[in-house]
Amino acid sequence: MLPTANQPSLEETTLDEPVIVTLKREFNAIANKMYKVMLPGSDSKSELRNWDLWGPLFICLFLAILLSTGASSAPVTKGKGAEDQSAGVFASVFVIVWCGAAVVTLNAVLLGGTVSFFQSICVLGYCLFPMTLAAIISMGIGWSHCGSGGCTAVRMALVLGGLAWSTRASLGFLSEIVSSKRGVLAAYPVCLFYASLAWIIVVRSSPA
């Protein structure tokens, strides 16, 4: 089981509760954090302080699988089959998400930020949700083989909107742990992290 911030006490142990109840509670917590990212409120920052890794893992796997299926419509790289290309895209997205989040966290710590490693990964992972929604619609447009200028403009607008939303959400949380004097240094790797994923979405959603 992946670690979480809330460790139950001896009186509040969940070892004897039904699995369905445990799964329901975890899914509700994940859905609530996704909602806080999409529509941030006054309690959004405190909500994500109770970190977990189930949500980021689910979002990462879903995005990686979604983008890897784009090999059926995107041009196949010379000398490589569609299956090899799909595996490469899946691995690339997975590595970018987790290694990129680790680098962003290390950068924040070196800048004097007071944040735990897993808490930062939780925030960056959940803030990837808007881009995942944009990827779903963009891939749908790509699968329809719509190559007109209007479809391209819609795909670009969706990806840019998801990029802006994800970046804004993550910077809103990270601004509390890094001094405002070093805000630019903290923001640069975050923007680069999400921009690299946005570029993959644009490429993989392009019709053949």
Side-chain angles (χ1 to χ4, degrees):
M1 180 176 179
L2 291 175
T4 60
N6 297 325
Q7 299 295 336
S9 63
L10 293 177
E11 294 78 10
E12 300 174 340
T13 180
T14 59
L15 293 178
D16 296 329
E17 73 177 11
V19 175
I20 296 299
V21 176
T22 303
L23 291 177
K24 183 178 179 180
R25 183 179 64 253
E26 293 295 336
F27 282 127
N28 286 339
I30 292 173
N32 188 48
K33 287 184 173 67
M34 289 181 179
Y35 175 80
K36 297 299 183 181
V37 168
M38 293 300 299
L39 298 173
S42 58
D43 59 339
S44 296
K45 295 181 177 63
S46 61
E47 178 67 26
L48 284 184
R49 286 195 184 96
N50 297 322
W51 57 265
D52 69 84
L53 298 182
W54 286 116
L57 178 61
F58 172 78
I59 294 173
C60 174
L61 287 175
F62 181 84
L63 182 61
I65 293 173
L66 178 67
L67 295 181
S68 67
T69 60
S72 59
S73 60
V76 177
T77 305
K78 183 178 180 180
K80 296 183 68 177
E83 184 176 350
D84 293 336
Q85 191 177 15
S86 296
V89 172
F90 179 90
S92 297
V93 173
F94 197 87
V95 170
I96 288 174
V97 169
W98 292 103
C99 291
V103 171
V104 170
T105 301
L106 178 61
N107 179 69
V109 172
L110 292 177
L111 291 175
T114 54
V115 61
S116 70
F117 177 79
F118 292 115
Q119 182 183 15
S120 178
I121 288 182
C122 171
V123 170
L124 293 169
Y126 274 109
C127 289
L128 191 59
F129 183 58
M131 287 185 61
T132 303
L133 295 180
I136 293 173
I137 303 175
S138 298
M139 292 297 291
I141 296 175
W143 287 328
S144 68
H145 300 286
C146 179
S148 65
C151 290
T152 301
V154 171
R155 288 193 302 106
M156 293 297 296
L158 286 170
V159 175
L160 288 176
L163 171 61
W165 204 307
S166 294
T167 304
R168 176 181 176 275
S170 60
L171 291 179
F173 293 109
L174 294 179
S175 63
E176 289 195 344
I177 62 174
V178 178
S179 169
S180 59
K181 296 180 180 179
R182 300 177 176 178
V184 176
L185 295 176
Y188 174 73
V190 174
C191 295
L192 186 62
F193 169 66
Y194 289 117
S196 62
L197 293 171
W199 176 249
I200 296 178
I201 295 174
V202 170
V203 173
R204 300 300 294 172
S205 62
S206 301

